[in-house]
């Protein structure tokens, strides 16, 4: 057995993990066209795959019915109908029998023909059916291939996941109780997978090259999500140290609990708000657990994932209402759909893009797909009657996008009021400042909205021209870059000038090195992964506003990231 076999990786979500690896490999769905078996055996293989697919769909139907209700479960009923549709099933068997084809070949041929016909009809319902057929075909192919399609929602034993990549939608579906840690070969610290891992408090490392070929399922792994340490088959000594480190981590967390019910204040009484970023109503208990003062960012795109159809207005209304009523005394900022970039949702059918982060993302998608946008806005407005709602629009890069979004919002409001539905008065509407264009015209945009929230995850990638997912250029993804810091300053100054609220909801909100700079700039809201709230509040309590202001002036003169970092380390 190899001992202390160290693999190179980068930490993306803090914490320690020790456990057994589960390696997720891409499925190999290759097949021959003409069968070497007789047709009856081929037909029987197909029947078995259909039976297994049906059993899986029935299980998903029951689970979804229990967890999300009949609306969401209906899709699996529809899938069962697609599976049993003679156009797919009988036609495939016909081909197997008449042309001596393999089940795989016959199925893919029939499926492609049906999909082509449906996709060419100008009807949303039929296009959706085409998508269902593709889904079912893939599922059948997996069963025909005899491979395991690991369902991350159904993990039954604790594992450390090892994969080339884990997508945000896989993250949204996983059973987090069973995931001790994660190792990926690609993906940066500000990828949405990393953000979700931190929200879920799952220790994770990425950039572990060839991890899927070096590690086998069942191998023992140790990982440290801050430093990026990753050991294959760790020695007994390391395993003992793990237990000690875990204890230490627990004691530190316990120590921080003293900040839970305190105000977020500097030593000399300057108060700000430290809020939580959430991705689903299931995250709401974390707000109270970590003493967050509301929600500064609810990433609603995650409620569109792990399903095969967009949530209806009623479903969304129930979700937003649940979050608002769970925290009636706090502001809850719900962000409109930020789809695109690394957040793919197959059923929304965004064309493959060369540069998805520069493509049809977030507000750009919503303004082109007004039915989806309006459904969400109506659900939010209906929910506004149940708490303190703020609505936030992501990826703004010009004033028209703000005005057009606000116009649609007003249209929805009028429709609801006209139908006698209650909508709260004076709902705050804000935008994310996460494109350089928005930061540069922050003075213009400040006149249009009630608040700004800096999306520093994207701001850094766009300012530094560094893809937030690309492992190769992560060293250039630089929070201390003077261009980033100056744009944050410029945005905060424009907000102050216009008398509107300004916060940060990107990961920099929890960056303790830059905290005094942000306070000195007059940032008044910081929204972060719930588990970072107490540490940030504790760091804030050690600062003095006057020192922060001095440092904030000084950093604007820095000529490089290293100079700026040094100023923060030795103010
Ligand atoms: C950001 O860009 O900083 C942000 C908070 O949004 P997201 O990470 O979801 O792109
Ligand atoms: Mg963003």
């Amino acid at each position: 057995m190899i001992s202390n076999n160290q693999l190179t990786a980068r930490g993306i979500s803090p914490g320690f993990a020790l456990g057994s690896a589960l390696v997720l490999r891409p499925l190999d769905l290759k097949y021959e066209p003409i069968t070497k078996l007789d047709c009856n055996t081929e037909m029987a293989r197909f029947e078995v795959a259909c039976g297994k697919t049906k059993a899986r769909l029935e299980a998903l139907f029951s689970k979804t019915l229990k967890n999300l209700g009949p609306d969401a479960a209906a899709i699996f009923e529809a899938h069962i109908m697609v599976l049993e549709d003679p156009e797919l099933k009988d036609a495939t068997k016909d081909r197997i029998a008449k042309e001596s084809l393999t089940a795989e070949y016959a199925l893919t041929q029939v499926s492609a023909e049906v999909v082509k016909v449906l996709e060419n009809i100008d009807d949303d319902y039929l296009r959706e059916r085409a998508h269902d057929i593709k889904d079912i075909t893939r599922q059948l192919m997996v069963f025909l291939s005899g491979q395991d399609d690991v369902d991350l929602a159904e993990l039954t034993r604790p594992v450390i996941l090892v994969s080339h990549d884990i997508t945000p939608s896989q993250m949204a579906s996983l059973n987090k109780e069973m995931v001790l840690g994660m190792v990926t070969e690609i993906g940066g610290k500000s990828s949405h997978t990393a953000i979700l891992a931190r929200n879920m408090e799952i220790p994770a490392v990425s950039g572990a090259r060839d991890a899927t070929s070096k590690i086998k399922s069942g191998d023992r792994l140790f990982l440290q999500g801050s430093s990026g340490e990753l050991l294959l088959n760790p020695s007994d000594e390391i395993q003992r140290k793990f237990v000690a480190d875990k204890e230490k981590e627990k004691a530190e967390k316990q120590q921080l609990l003293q900040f839970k019910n305190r105000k977020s204040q500097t030593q000399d009484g300057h108060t700000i708000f430290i809020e939580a970023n959430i991705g689903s109503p299931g995250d709401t208990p974390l707000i109270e657990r970590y003493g967050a003062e509301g929600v500064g960012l609810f990433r609603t795109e995650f409620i569109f994932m792990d399903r095969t159809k967009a949530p209806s207005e009623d479903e969304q209304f129930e979700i937003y209402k649940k979050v608002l009523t769970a925290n009636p005394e706090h502001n809850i900022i719900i962000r409109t759909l930020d789809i695109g970039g690394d957040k793919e949702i197959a059923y929304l059918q965004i064309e493959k893009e060369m540069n998805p982060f520069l493509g049809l993302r977030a507000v750009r998608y919503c303004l082109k797909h007004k039915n989806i946008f309006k459904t969400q806005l109506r659900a939010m407005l209906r929910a506004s009657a149940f708490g303190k709602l703020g609505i936030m629009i992501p990826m703004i890069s010009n004033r028209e996008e703000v005005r057009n979004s606000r116009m649609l919002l007003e249209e929805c409001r009028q429709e609801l009021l006209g139908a006698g539905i209650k909508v709260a008065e004076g709902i705050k509407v804000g935008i994310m400042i996460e494109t350089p264009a928005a930061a540069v015209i922050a003075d213009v945009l400040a006149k249009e909205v009630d608040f700004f929230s800096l999306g520093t995850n994207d701001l850094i990638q766009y300012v530094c021209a560094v893809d937030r997912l690309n492992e190769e250029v992560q060293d250039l993804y630089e929070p201390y870059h003077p261009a980033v810091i100056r744009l944050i300053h410029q945005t905060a100054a424009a907000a102050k000038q216009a008398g509107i609220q300004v916060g940060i909801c990107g990961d920099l909100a929890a960056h303790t090195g830059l905290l005094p700079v942000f306070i000195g700039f007059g940032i008044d809201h910081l929204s972060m992964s719930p588990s970072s709230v107490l540490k940030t509040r504790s760091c804030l309590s050690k600062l003095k506003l006057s020192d922060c202001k001095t440092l904030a002036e000084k950093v604007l003169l820095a000529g490089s990231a290293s100079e700026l970092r040094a100023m923060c380390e030795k103010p």
Side-chain angles (χ1 to χ4, degrees):
M1 189 159 89
I2 316 159
S3 164
N4 280 8
N5 191 356
Q6 178 131 21
L7 304 179
T8 314
R10 185 190 293 270
I12 58 168
S13 176
F16 307 90
L18 177 70
S20 162
L22 174 66
V23 183
L24 308 175
R25 293 183 200 288
L27 294 169
D28 178 5
L29 298 179
K30 283 203 230 69
Y31 51 82
E32 295 292 325
I34 305 295
T35 185
K36 295 192 179 83
L37 309 168
D38 64 275
C39 292
N40 288 342
T41 316
E42 205 60 64
M43 205 89 87
R45 286 180 62 231
F46 183 62
E47 285 290 359
V48 170
C50 288
K52 286 185 177 169
T53 304
K54 189 167 177 203
R56 184 164 189 272
L57 290 170
E58 283 170 347
L60 281 170
F61 173 80
S62 311
K63 188 174 149 202
T64 314
L65 185 66
K66 187 164 145 250
N67 295 340
L68 299 169
D71 254 16
I75 188 69
F76 297 110
E77 247 174 347
H79 275 193
I80 293 173
M81 275 162 65
V82 169
L83 175 69
E84 309 222 299
D85 189 334
E87 268 195 79
L88 187 71
K89 197 170 178 180
D90 294 353
T92 301
K93 292 205 283 195
D94 235 37
R95 289 272 174 97
I96 296 173
K98 292 199 180 120
E99 300 172 35
S100 297
L101 303 179
T102 56
E104 289 90 338
Y105 190 65
L107 171 66
T108 43
Q109 295 289 304
V110 170
S111 164
E113 285 161 19
V114 181
V115 165
K116 196 167 168 202
V117 172
L118 294 178
E119 280 181 344
N120 281 327
I121 303 173
D122 191 16
D123 179 298
D124 282 352
Y125 174 79
L126 291 179
R127 268 200 295 268
E128 226 174 79
R129 289 287 75 79
H131 191 256
D132 292 348
I133 291 176
K134 286 188 204 165
D135 253 19
I136 297 294
T137 304
R138 186 182 180 281
Q139 188 58 72
L140 285 165
M141 292 292 284
V142 171
F143 284 125
L144 282 169
S145 76
Q147 294 166 79
D148 253 0
D149 192 14
V150 178
D151 183 347
L152 296 180
E154 300 293 333
L155 294 170
T156 50
R157 63 189 170 87
V159 290
I160 295 182
L161 293 178
V162 180
S163 182
H164 177 63
D165 185 19
I166 294 179
T167 63
S169 47
Q170 280 178 307
M171 288 296 290
S173 75
L174 60 80
N175 175 0
K176 67 178 179 191
E177 304 311 320
M178 292 297 159
V179 182
L180 300 171
M182 290 185 348
V183 177
T184 54
E185 294 179 332
I186 61 164
K189 192 171 177 184
S190 59
S191 68
H192 283 94
T193 298
I195 290 171
L196 284 173
R198 291 195 289 276
N199 259 26
M200 295 176 178
E201 297 181 59
I202 299 175
V205 298
S206 75
R209 279 172 194 265
D210 305 325
T212 54
S213 47
K214 289 180 181 154
I215 303 169
K216 294 189 300 304
S217 285
D219 276 346
R220 209 147 169 79
L221 288 179
F222 165 82
L223 70 86
Q224 219 285 42
S226 301
S227 63
E229 192 178 2
L230 174 62
L231 301 173
L232 174 59
N233 296 324
S235 65
D236 291 349
E237 191 193 333
I238 293 283
Q239 302 201 36
R240 275 194 299 277
K241 188 169 171 300
F242 165 79
V243 177
D245 286 346
K246 264 290 198 211
E247 282 304 314
K248 202 165 140 219
E249 188 187 60
K250 212 163 122 196
E252 280 166 9
K253 281 190 178 163
Q254 191 62 32
Q255 181 73 12
L256 283 173
L257 282 178
Q258 59 174 303
F259 289 94
K260 184 172 160 180
N261 296 315
R262 291 207 202 158
K263 279 188 170 177
S264 302
Q265 266 184 346
T266 57
Q267 220 184 88
D268 47 353
H270 173 71
T271 308
I272 63 159
F273 292 88
I274 303 187
E275 301 159 327
N277 290 350
I278 62 167
S280 81
D283 291 341
T284 48
L286 301 176
I287 303 170
E288 140 64 25
R289 184 180 313 156
Y290 293 110
E293 297 157 291
V295 171
L297 167 63
F298 177 0
R299 289 184 166 97
T300 56
E301 48 282 2
F302 294 116
I303 62 169
F304 283 67
M305 292 179 185
D306 192 24
R307 48 188 300 142
T308 46
K309 187 175 160 204
S312 66
E313 180 184 316
D314 281 349
E315 272 182 87
Q316 291 190 55
F317 162 68
E318 290 299 338
I319 291 171
Y320 305 149
K321 180 177 154 194
K322 195 166 169 191
V323 177
L324 283 155
T325 47
N327 302 274
E329 76 281 20
H330 288 130
N331 288 327
I332 306 293
I333 296 181
I334 306 186
R335 176 172 80 178
T336 59
L337 187 62
D338 182 3
I339 196 61
D342 61 342
K343 288 175 286 196
E344 278 183 36
I345 296 182
Y347 62 78
L348 292 181
Q349 295 180 345
I350 302 178
E351 297 277 317
K352 270 266 170 263
E353 296 174 304
M354 292 286 276
N355 292 299
F357 275 113
L358 304 181
L360 192 62
R361 193 184 159 191
V363 71
R364 301 171 178 182
Y365 176 89
C366 287
L367 287 172
K368 273 211 166 165
H369 295 84
K370 294 204 172 63
N371 53 341
I372 291 190
F373 200 12
K374 281 187 72 179
T375 302
Q376 182 171 46
L377 293 174
R378 285 170 59 94
M380 287 184 186
L381 289 172
R382 283 169 58 192
S384 70
F386 297 88
K388 294 186 187 165
L389 170 71
I391 296 178
M392 177 158 77
I393 306 158
M395 264 300 274
I396 291 292
S397 61
N398 60 50
R399 188 173 66 182
E400 289 68 39
E401 286 166 345
V402 183
R403 291 193 174 169
N404 291 338
S405 304
R406 292 204 73 152
M407 236 150 63
L408 278 185
L409 184 65
E410 183 53 24
E411 205 173 294
C412 294
R413 203 176 73 90
Q414 292 301 339
E415 283 168 14
L416 291 171
L417 293 177
I421 297 169
K422 204 169 153 206
V423 175
E425 289 288 329
I427 300 167
K428 300 253 186 298
V429 179
I431 54 172
M432 293 195 63
I433 302 290
E434 52 184 346
T435 66
V440 170
I441 59 161
D443 57 330
V444 174
L445 299 178
K447 298 192 181 89
E448 308 284 322
V449 293
D450 303 308
F451 65 89
F452 283 163
S453 187
L454 281 141
T456 49
N457 303 337
D458 278 312
L459 190 64
I460 299 173
Q461 83 161 340
Y462 295 132
V463 170
C464 299
V466 175
D467 180 345
R468 62 196 264 193
L469 303 183
N470 188 338
E471 190 49 43
E472 293 298 322
V473 286
Q474 285 308 293
D475 291 344
L476 294 171
Y477 187 94
E478 182 50 88
Y480 285 102
H481 195 302
V484 172
I485 299 302
R486 286 186 194 191
L487 284 181
I488 294 176
H489 170 253
Q490 196 170 317
T491 303
K496 295 278 127 187
Q497 178 74 27
I500 64 167
Q501 178 186 312
V502 57
I504 299 181
C505 64
D507 279 11
L508 280 201
H511 193 295
T512 48
L514 283 166
L515 179 63
V517 174
F518 299 150
I519 300 301
F521 284 168
I523 304 274
D524 39 38
H525 285 68
L526 295 172
S527 190
M528 58 194 67
S529 173
S531 59
S532 299
V533 168
L534 295 175
K535 179 149 181 240
T536 309
R537 193 171 289 146
S538 145
C539 291
L540 180 70
S541 72
K542 299 182 181 77
L543 301 177
K544 275 204 194 127
L545 181 60
S546 51
D547 295 343
C548 295
K549 284 188 172 160
T550 311
L551 178 64
E553 277 176 27
K554 201 168 141 192
V555 294
L556 293 176
L557 304 174
S560 71
S562 51
E563 226 173 278
L564 208 152
R565 182 181 289 106
M567 289 173 179
C568 295
E569 280 164 9
K570 290 191 202 75

